[in-house]
Amino acid sequence: MASANKLHQGRTVLVTGSTSGIGLGVARAFAAEGANVVLNGLGDADEIESLRGAIEQDHGTIARYSPANMLNPQEIAQMVAEAEAEFGTIDILVNNAGIQHVSPIEDFPIEKWDAILAINLSSNFHTIRAALPGMKKKGWGRIINISSAHSLVASPYKSAYVAAKHGVAGLTKTVALEVAEQGITVNAIAPGYVWTPLVEAQIPDTMAARNMTEEEVKRDVLLLAQPTKEFATIEQVADLALYLSGDSASAITGSTISMDGGWTAK
């Protein structure tokens, strides 16, 4: 049984893009604090079911999975409606879904631009639009957008991603102002490189392509822009999301909080 003194006992958290990486870590962290969670994302159906079941078994909370496609506004609205039908309201919304493509702008595939803007930016709009009325009715809510250092600075060949993440920063500010007197906060977390399985999987190919050691790839390629030369961890991102969802952070809203090893300080 879950302990009644946990930070988010009885609350419901929806985390998009949460079948792996940062999103899964965030979902697990909230479940550990007593929250029911709604997972969303891509992956093997059996593996997702195993993840879902493990969350329930480990933390004594309810975990559900929605296969809603973040490219589809109707599926996003249905995901929110189904969560509200089961749990009453979505108390905490964590927008984490994202994709990337790297290319010079003149060669950037139009379909990749459209997909990145849709998933990294527009899906946040659609989830917020759907979940906000329930938060307003309750008079309490937390919206956390997992953004990027690229919401504040740019890198070449990432035009769609940088544009989308800058948009997330603006969306975060705008919604925060709209709900500032209604017990709802809206913030963004802007990590630099986070040590995830996806990042780890990039290293062998980069080692071969650049004739570098693993440590050289980490220090001189992946962490080139981060003065600390240290990756953030999934757990650190999840801990910040937990903090922003607590009463101690009720005065923080409309902020994009950097977690980038000093990248954007330069």
Side-chain angles (χ1 to χ4, degrees):
M1 294 293 292
S3 171
N5 63 357
K6 292 187 176 181
L7 181 63
H8 292 299
Q9 185 68 39
R11 288 177 173 157
T12 298
V13 182
L14 168 60
V15 187
T16 67
S18 52
T19 52
S20 64
I22 293 171
L24 179 58
V26 169
R28 285 172 168 160
F30 275 101
E33 288 296 337
N36 301 314
V37 298
V38 179
L39 302 173
N40 159 264
L42 304 176
D44 178 80
D46 290 339
E47 290 180 4
I48 292 170
E49 176 57 24
S50 178
L51 292 172
R52 189 201 64 76
I55 289 173
E56 290 191 334
Q57 183 174 1
D58 292 345
H59 304 296
T61 61
I62 299 171
R64 294 289 183 258
Y65 168 69
S66 169
N69 186 337
M70 292 297 103
L71 288 169
N72 189 312
Q74 290 74 32
E75 291 187 22
I76 293 171
Q78 182 179 352
M79 173 179 65
V80 172
E82 289 174 352
E84 290 181 334
E86 177 165 2
F87 298 110
T89 188
I90 294 171
D91 300 290
I92 301 164
L93 170 63
V94 182
N95 286 309
N96 174 71
I99 59 172
Q100 174 65 289
H101 183 76
V102 179
S103 173
I105 193 165
E106 67 270 23
D107 300 322
F108 211 101
I110 292 172
E111 65 275 13
K112 291 291 187 181
W113 170 274
D114 290 342
I116 290 170
L117 267 289
I119 292 175
N120 292 34
L121 174 57
S122 295
S123 72
N124 294 15
F125 162 79
H126 293 299
T127 56
I128 293 169
R129 183 178 184 273
L132 203 54
M135 293 181 180
K136 286 183 175 181
K137 185 176 180 180
K138 189 172 183 177
W140 194 93
R142 298 288 184 265
I143 298 171
I144 300 169
N145 300 317
I146 305 299
S147 188
S148 164
H150 283 117
S151 66
L152 302 170
V153 296
S155 293
Y157 312 122
K158 298 180 180 180
S159 55
Y161 189 84
V162 171
K165 292 302 186 180
H166 273 63
V168 169
L171 178 65
T172 299
K173 292 177 182 180
T174 300
V175 181
L177 294 177
E178 291 184 15
V179 299
E181 296 184 30
Q182 299 182 60
I184 302 165
T185 66
V186 189
N187 293 291
I189 298 173
Y193 273 97
V194 180
W195 187 250
T196 65
L198 188 63
V199 169
E200 186 175 6
Q202 297 175 26
I203 291 177
D205 286 345
T206 308
M207 289 170 62
R210 299 195 181 210
N211 193 27
M212 287 179 163
T213 67
E214 179 177 342
E215 286 307 310
E216 286 172 337
V217 169
K218 289 178 180 178
R219 184 186 68 244
D220 299 331
V221 179
L222 297 177
L223 297 175
L224 179 64
Q226 297 189 197
T228 62
K229 304 302 179 187
E230 296 285 345
F231 291 93
T233 67
I234 291 171
E235 292 77 15
Q236 287 170 337
V237 177
D239 284 347
L240 182 51
L242 286 174
Y243 174 72
L244 290 172
S245 300
D247 292 337
S248 296
S250 62
I252 303 174
T253 195
S255 295
T256 293
I257 300 173
S258 295
M259 182 181 269
D260 61 14
W263 182 347
T264 56
K266 295 190 290 182

